[in-house]
Amino acid sequence: MYIETVPNRNSPPAILLREGYREGGKVVKRTIANLSHWDPQLIEHLRILLKGGVAVESARALMSIERSLPHGHVAAVLGIARRCGLAKLLDPAPAPVRSLVLALVVARVLEPGSKLATWRNLQPESATHSLSQVLGLGAFEAERLYAALDWLGVAQPRIERSLARQHLGNGVLVLYDLTSTWVTGRHCALAHYGYSRDGKRDDPQIVFGLLCSADGCPVAVEVFAGNTADPATLAAQIDKLKERFGLSQVVWVGDRGMVPCARIEQVLRPAGMSWITALRSPQIAELIEDRGPWQPSLFDEHGLIALDSARYPGERLVVCRNPALAEERARKRAELLAATEVELAAIAQATARTRNRLHGQDKIGLRVGRVIERYRMAKHFDLEITETSFTFTRKQAQIDAEAALDGLYVLRTNVPSEQFSDAQTVLAYKSLAQVERAFRSMKTVDLHVRPIYHFNESRVRAHVFLCMLAYYVEWHLREALKPLLHDDEDLATRRDQRTNPVMPTPRSEGANAKAARHRTDDALPVHSLHTLLQDLATLTYNITSTPVNPQAKIVITTRPTPLQSKAFALLGIDPACSQ
């Protein structure tokens, strides 16, 4: 006997119990009963019985789910951490410490927070994802997590050497930039009041510099006291490259604040290093006086002019002009000048009114100072303040001189043109945006290095290094998942092939199509990395047991959706085998 479903035109199909047998050498069948009115679950039980199976009262009698944890994002981040070689870099540590350090790095990508919050999320009874189960951590004290962080701080030089061997070499580009972040409390020896790039002038700061390869992959990080100036950190990085990494010659790429003329003469040139940096505005003005003004018509289709100068013997200067940048700076200056004039005119009118006249040189000066400070336009105005009056006029000659530099920047390098062409030099300098992206990810978007709650100097350094390793994992994760992200997959190739390296590289047709449709070519939704990890987290890690042997735990992961399958295929990871 068997159960057959028979279509019934526009009505629901008929569910029939039938019997098949032979009659006169032919196979015939007959209907024994109409089961259409039965409960679907009862029909399925009968179907199992007819096939020789055993029907049970409910699915719970076979297996029960004891716990279900978000797992897909854990499998993705942990899998890429192993694929990119980070897990192997932790091998010298004892197994328990190695697992905890790996958990710290992965948890920083998944759910950045304080170490205590991370410890709670890794405890079996309060876990918010499957990371603890996958790594087999079990229950442990918070002190063990801090001990793992301390081990990571001690291992930082060795790990950075391994990363440098993998991503750097003699003659390659090295990107370097500096940023700051605030520290909670007043007891950290590194915390000092200094220039805050986050606008937190009321809080003590630390400063940290990030070394990256030419494609933006982080290699090393170093923490400095919060009152350390940018150029003062350069010598320490040169020593690190030469002594710790064994690199005798690299091309150092830094912005005009990081690599000023004094540091080139005092640090880079004596060390035998090459450099690509930019001139400051006063140096550009001196160059214009020597070589004459550069009209837009002088720039070729590449948007640049190569020249030399007696002020920089043995070096190349590449003058770049970006028309879009020139237009934007002119617009912004005009708006700031107009806004400043409106408020200064109101102050001048207040000094001339008949009632409640504003008077007193100090009072007038304070109000003028607030306006000038807000718009930072003091250099473009002549101000005359007396006890009873206030007048102002534009410094038009100075405004015109500044406008002549709009959209212009001059690169300075001692790298021979045979090694780096003028266009390649411009692209190398613009690649500093990769370091800015790393800072943005570490500080605000993904990893949240700030605020820092540690007071011990060594733990502050270890915390920043931990965030760098988390960004190292995230960088590889982004590279692998680009087809599913809003990122432009062909940006690097098209940037190298452009005739005008000064202008921004437009997005490719494929990237524009993804942005317009919010879908990939195979009709999958396009995500940011954050929302993609949220989607992957819906693939769960289920701990089950059976009544026959309740002590035996069976782990079952849910079936991936098409998007999740594509993501794991790009990563080369099987989420069911992530342990």
Side-chain angles (χ1 to χ4, degrees):
M1 288 187 294
Y2 62 95
I3 295 175
E4 184 176 5
T5 302
V6 181
N8 195 10
R9 294 187 180 179
N10 297 328
S11 300
I15 312 298
L16 306 176
L17 177 61
R18 287 185 166 176
E19 180 185 31
Y21 58 96
R22 289 184 178 274
E23 185 176 294
K26 292 183 179 180
V27 177
V28 294
K29 58 186 177 182
R30 67 187 180 94
T31 301
I32 298 176
N34 188 340
L35 309 180
S36 302
H37 61 284
W38 280 27
D39 183 83
Q41 187 174 2
L42 188 58
I43 294 173
E44 287 302 313
H45 286 178
L46 180 56
R47 195 190 304 272
I48 293 171
L49 285 172
L50 293 175
K51 290 182 178 181
V54 178
V56 295
E57 181 180 354
S58 68
R60 290 182 177 274
L62 288 177
M63 183 175 294
S64 62
I65 299 177
E66 297 185 2
R67 193 160 188 197
S68 184
L69 294 169
H71 172 66
H73 59 331
V74 172
V77 177
L78 183 59
I80 204 67
R82 288 166 172 165
R83 280 192 57 197
C84 72
L86 177 63
K88 289 185 178 179
L89 296 178
L90 308 177
D91 278 348
V97 175
R98 181 171 64 248
S99 297
L100 286 175
V101 172
L102 190 57
L104 278 171
V105 174
V106 174
R108 177 60 54 173
V109 180
L110 297 176
E111 295 180 1
S114 67
K115 302 302 178 297
L116 284 177
T118 301
W119 170 73
R120 282 194 298 270
N121 291 340
L122 292 174
Q123 296 305 296
E125 69 278 2
S126 58
T128 56
H129 45 63
S130 64
L131 181 59
S132 180
Q133 282 74 14
V134 171
L135 292 177
L137 298 180
F140 62 93
E141 299 298 326
E143 286 73 15
R144 287 182 54 196
L145 202 66
Y146 286 104
L149 183 67
D150 295 337
W151 179 91
L152 183 63
V154 174
Q156 178 176 353
R158 178 188 58 79
I159 295 174
E160 288 181 342
R161 273 198 307 273
S162 299
L163 293 177
R165 283 196 299 269
Q166 185 175 348
H167 297 284
L168 301 180
N170 277 316
V172 302
L173 285 174
V174 174
L175 310 179
Y176 179 64
D177 206 351
L178 208 70
T179 191
S180 63
T181 190
W182 70 87
V183 179
T184 302
R186 297 290 185 272
H187 302 288
C188 178
L190 292 169
H192 290 275
Y193 288 98
Y195 172 62
S196 173
R197 293 156 181 83
D198 306 319
K200 299 279 287 186
R201 292 180 293 180
D202 296 335
D203 294 319
Q205 309 285 317
I206 63 164
V207 169
F208 61 94
L210 188 64
L211 276 174
C212 293
S213 61
D215 53 6
C217 182
V219 174
V221 69
E222 186 160 350
V223 180
F224 302 92
N227 57 356
T228 306
D230 291 12
T233 67
L234 197 57
Q237 304 309 307
I238 295 293
D239 293 340
K240 178 185 292 187
L241 284 174
K242 297 188 71 173
E243 298 176 8
R244 190 187 302 175
F245 300 162
L247 300 176
S248 58
Q249 176 59 257
V250 298
V251 180
W252 198 270
V253 185
D255 61 25
R256 67 196 73 192
M258 182 62 62
V259 190
C261 293
R263 296 299 168 183
I264 289 177
E265 300 303 325
Q266 297 169 6
V267 179
L268 290 176
R269 200 185 296 277
M273 294 288 178
S274 300
W275 61 83
I276 297 175
T277 186
L279 298 183
R280 295 176 178 268
S281 296
Q283 297 167 332
I284 297 177
E286 293 173 352
L287 194 61
I288 291 177
E289 291 181 4
D290 295 342
R291 305 298 298 264
W294 300 303
Q295 301 300 325
S297 58
L298 296 176
F299 293 87
D300 58 12
E301 67 275 9
H302 299 293
L304 52 85
I305 303 171
L307 49 85
D308 52 19
S309 171
R311 295 179 183 270
Y312 308 99
E315 300 181 31
R316 277 188 301 145
L317 300 178
V318 182
V319 184
C320 306
R321 184 178 186 276
N322 186 333
L325 180 61
E327 183 179 347
E328 174 61 21
R329 286 185 175 174
R331 180 198 63 78
K332 186 175 181 180
R333 184 189 306 106
E335 291 181 358
L336 288 174
L337 286 171
T340 305
E341 284 182 323
V342 168
E343 297 201 24
L344 291 181
I347 298 174
Q349 185 178 4
T351 62
R353 63 195 177 199
T354 55
R355 296 182 61 185
N356 297 324
R357 177 181 297 178
L358 178 65
H359 64 280
Q361 194 171 11
D362 293 342
K363 292 182 178 179
I364 298 173
L366 285 174
R367 289 188 59 177
V368 171
R370 284 197 294 268
V371 173
I372 293 298
E373 175 66 21
R374 183 182 307 131
Y375 297 109
R376 300 185 183 278
M377 289 284 109
K379 59 184 176 181
H380 293 324
F381 286 95
D382 277 322
L383 308 174
E384 185 175 348
I385 302 174
T386 67
E387 286 293 325
T388 58
S389 65
F390 165 61
T391 58
F392 64 93
T393 56
R394 285 192 181 189
K395 296 180 180 179
Q396 195 58 47
Q398 183 169 329
I399 294 173
D400 293 341
E402 183 181 276
L405 302 180
D406 285 347
L408 289 175
Y409 57 95
V410 181
L411 303 184
R412 173 188 179 186
T413 180
N414 65 339
V415 181
S417 56
E418 295 80 13
Q419 183 178 350
F420 278 86
S421 66
D422 297 334
Q424 289 173 326
T425 301
V426 174
L427 291 175
Y429 184 76
K430 292 176 70 173
S431 63
L432 281 173
Q434 300 282 350
V435 189
E436 293 296 333
R437 178 177 181 175
F439 286 147
R440 199 160 50 246
S441 177
M442 290 175 65
K443 292 170 65 175
T444 60
V445 180
D446 299 315
L447 306 178
H448 300 286
V449 67
R450 63 189 184 187
I452 295 173
Y453 299 103
H454 299 288
F455 299 152
N456 185 286
E457 179 179 339
S458 61
R459 283 188 178 170
V460 170
R461 296 182 186 276
H463 168 76
V464 175
F465 182 56
L466 169 67
C467 292
M468 191 215 83
L469 292 181
Y471 181 70
Y472 181 79
V473 172
E474 182 187 304
W475 186 88
H476 285 86
L477 194 64
R478 288 182 180 276
E479 290 295 306
L481 294 175
K482 270 186 179 181
L484 295 177
L485 304 178
H486 289 286
D487 296 28
D488 191 344
E489 302 169 50
D490 303 322
L491 184 62
T493 302
R494 289 184 298 103
R495 185 190 293 123
D496 295 337
Q497 295 174 348
R498 290 200 66 204
T499 57
N500 188 340
V502 178
M503 294 294 290
T505 305
R507 289 171 64 86
S508 66
E509 294 182 3
N512 288 331
K514 282 199 300 185
R517 300 194 310 263
H518 304 290
R519 294 275 170 177
T520 63
D521 292 337
D522 44 2
L524 296 173
V526 180
H527 282 270
S528 67
L529 181 63
H530 181 67
T531 58
L532 181 56
L533 289 177
Q534 286 181 334
D535 187 286
L536 293 178
T538 62
L539 188 150
T540 57
Y541 181 97
N542 304 292
I543 304 172
T544 67
S545 63
T546 64
V548 177
N549 187 1
Q551 302 304 316
K553 307 303 179 185
I554 304 172
V555 174
I556 301 175
T557 57
T558 52
R559 183 180 301 163
T561 65
L563 175 65
Q564 293 168 349
S565 297
K566 179 65 177 291
F568 289 122
L570 292 171
L571 295 171
I573 294 168
D574 183 357
C577 303
S578 57
Q579 292 177 286

